[in-house]
Amino acid sequence: MTKSKSPVVPKANKRPANPFSEYQDKVVAEREGIIVRYLGSLRKTRAKFEYITDLAKAVAEQVGMAEGAPCSFTTLLRNKRYKALLLNFMAMRSGTDTVRVSEPAAQALIHTVELELGNAKRDNERLRIYINELEAQLAEKQLAPLLLPVQHSDSSEKLVKLTNEKALACKALWLVLEHFKDLMSIDADRGCIIDRSASKRKNIIVEPETAQVFLEWVQSNTCIGK
């Protein structure tokens, strides 16, 4: 007597990974930066909030101004990372010496966010120093042709060499900006290099008059990186 075979149950298809997760993580990180900076400025004032919803409304207004689009305070309260920062502020403003957040997960998120922002600030500072060094090199190369003595037979070769060195310095700065494009970028409208994590009024790193030569080089080499 043969045994009847059990029916084959088809395996359930796995849900595809979220294709927008990387973009969403970036948006959350940028908004966290805005919230942390605003809460940091509030700590220097005597502003007090009786309820977390009041604080969330004030922060949402600031986020909306920074992002250029309205932000609902309920969005901040629904997101665990944002809410953790708000709870942290409320705990510190209550007068406690240490932060006591009831949710262990929220406490862990606070430390994670603070660590990430600290690393970003250090990277930003190192990048500023490197850009200043590149600016100094560019300035020297721009002045060099003016300081040349009476042209000799090899003067044309020297000029070509200077031009090539200037191009290499510009390309180096462009590569740095590409590597740190989440932190810094070119503002073509204002003709300067900006800090993407700062507000528009205080985000200029390299002024237009200093960045002009580099931006002209970028404009004339639009095919680079393609």
Side-chain angles (χ1 to χ4, degrees), residues 163-164 166-172 174-175 178 186 212-226:
T163 301
N164 291 338
K166 172 186 171 183
L168 288 174
C170 288
K171 185 175 181 180
W174 180 86
L175 290 172
E178 278 293 297
I186 295 172
Q212 180 180 359
V213 174
F214 170 67
L215 296 184
E216 289 175 352
W217 178 87
V218 172
Q219 184 65 28
S220 62
N221 292 272
T222 55
C223 63
I224 187 170
K226 294 183 179 180

Side-chain angles (χ1 to χ4, degrees), residues 97-160:
D97 294 331
T98 58
V99 179
R100 295 185 179 90
V101 178
S102 59
E103 302 175 21
Q107 183 65 57
L109 284 173
I110 290 171
H111 292 310
T112 301
V113 171
E114 290 178 346
L115 179 61
E116 291 173 352
L117 289 174
N119 291 337
K121 287 180 180 179
R122 286 191 291 272
D123 288 342
N124 216 341
E125 184 60 28
R126 286 196 293 268
L127 187 55
R128 287 175 187 270
I129 294 173
Y130 185 59
I131 287 178
N132 289 336
E133 293 175 352
L134 288 175
E135 288 175 1
Q137 293 177 18
L138 286 173
E140 291 178 1
K141 290 176 172 56
Q142 291 169 21
L143 291 175
L146 301 177
L147 301 176
L148 288 175
V150 179
Q151 292 188 358
H152 300 289
S153 58
D154 61 343
S155 60
S156 59
E157 295 181 1
K158 291 181 179 179
L159 289 175
V160 170

Side-chain angles (χ1 to χ4, degrees), residues 74-93:
T74 57
T75 299
L76 304 183
L77 294 176
R78 285 196 302 266
N79 185 288
K80 291 184 178 180
R81 294 177 71 93
Y82 303 151
K83 187 176 181 180
L85 295 173
L86 301 180
L87 289 171
N88 180 42
F89 178 85
M90 294 290 288
M92 295 183 68
R93 186 47 59 98

Side-chain angles (χ1 to χ4, degrees), residues 52-85:
I52 191 172
T53 51
D54 298 330
L55 174 61
K57 290 176 181 179
V59 173
E61 183 178 354
Q62 185 69 22
V63 171
M65 293 173 58
E67 295 180 345
C71 174
S72 172
F73 75 95
T74 57
T75 299
L76 304 183
L77 294 176
R78 285 196 302 266
N79 185 288
K80 291 184 178 180
R81 294 177 71 93
Y82 303 151
K83 187 176 181 180
L85 295 173

Side-chain angles (χ1 to χ4, degrees), residues 158-216:
K158 291 181 179 179
L159 289 175
V160 170
K161 182 180 178 181
L162 287 172
T163 301
N164 291 338
E165 290 176 347
K166 172 186 171 183
L168 288 174
C170 288
K171 185 175 181 180
L173 178 54
W174 180 86
L175 290 172
V176 171
L177 290 177
E178 278 293 297
H179 183 74
F180 292 98
K181 58 186 177 183
D182 290 336
L183 298 175
M184 314 180 79
S185 65
I186 295 172
D187 188 329
D189 294 333
R190 291 186 289 169
C192 57
I193 298 175
I194 62 172
D195 179 350
R196 298 186 63 181
S197 64
S199 62
K200 189 172 182 180
R201 291 183 299 174
K202 300 180 180 180
N203 66 350
I204 297 179
I205 298 174
V206 182
E207 296 289 345
E209 56 270 18
T210 305
Q212 180 180 359
V213 174
F214 170 67
L215 296 184
E216 289 175 352

